[in-house]
Amino acid sequence: MSSNRLERLKSHILPKNKIRAMASPVTTHVLNTANGVPGAKIALSLHRLDPSTETWLLINTGLTNADGRFPGLISQQQFLCGVYKLRFETAQYWESMGETSFYPYTEIVFTVSDADQKYHIPLLLSRFSYSTYRGS
């Protein structure tokens, strides 16, 4: 069953406010710009900086899906203002395709100043470069 079909079914079963509550306030999308494909099966982790100890607290880990996304990164209840870090294990990704990479991992550190907003953090990736921006 396609994900679009599942989303349509979900919208008929759950009220819209329940669907919105289930959506992660932080999303990511990895694109392999070298090959023009989504960055599938990339290990990633999300962390929040504890301001009192200056240590990173692990929130979630997983792999990007076939579309280069990781749904459910953080729940709205866990989401607080502060400094966050998304870490992508890029060397493992490139090695899985028989390639090498200049960057063994990529970390994107960003500040959340309004926990009621959505933060979309795309990663555009090649073996020797990467870029990111705050998407919508």
Side-chain angles (χ1 to χ4, degrees):
M1 189 177 282
S2 76
S3 63
N4 287 343
R5 188 165 178 216
L6 285 174
E7 288 301 318
R8 282 195 308 264
L9 288 171
K10 208 186 319 180
S11 71
H12 291 291
I13 297 168
L14 295 173
K16 289 215 183 279
N17 61 345
K18 291 262 188 198
I19 294 169
R20 189 177 310 275
M22 291 170 49
S24 175
V26 177
T27 57
T28 190
H29 188 196
V30 183
L31 297 167
N32 174 337
T33 57
N35 299 338
V37 297
K41 298 182 183 175
I42 297 178
L44 63 85
S45 56
L46 177 67
H47 309 257
R48 183 177 45 246
L49 186 64
D50 182 333
S52 62
T53 62
E54 292 295 316
T55 58
W56 291 105
L57 305 172
L58 179 64
I59 296 171
N60 202 353
T61 62
L63 293 173
T64 57
N65 63 19
D67 192 36
R69 300 174 189 273
F70 184 83
L73 201 51
I74 186 172
S75 71
Q76 189 65 53
Q77 294 77 21
Q78 293 175 295
F79 193 51
L80 308 169
C81 290
V83 178
Y84 287 80
K85 171 174 67 174
L86 263 172
R87 179 181 166 121
F88 301 86
E89 303 303 329
T90 51
Q92 291 173 2
Y93 170 70
W94 291 110
E95 287 169 8
S96 74
M97 296 188 303
E99 302 280 348
T100 59
S101 172
F102 183 68
Y103 300 101
Y105 58 88
T106 301
E107 291 184 334
I108 303 170
V109 178
F110 58 99
T111 302
V112 170
S113 55
D114 182 353
D116 290 328
Q117 289 188 20
K118 179 178 162 62
Y119 293 80
H120 183 60
I121 316 293
L123 176 61
L124 307 176
L125 187 62
S126 78
R127 292 175 43 221
F128 298 103
S129 69
Y130 66 88
S131 64
T132 186
Y133 57 95
R134 181 172 177 193
S136 56

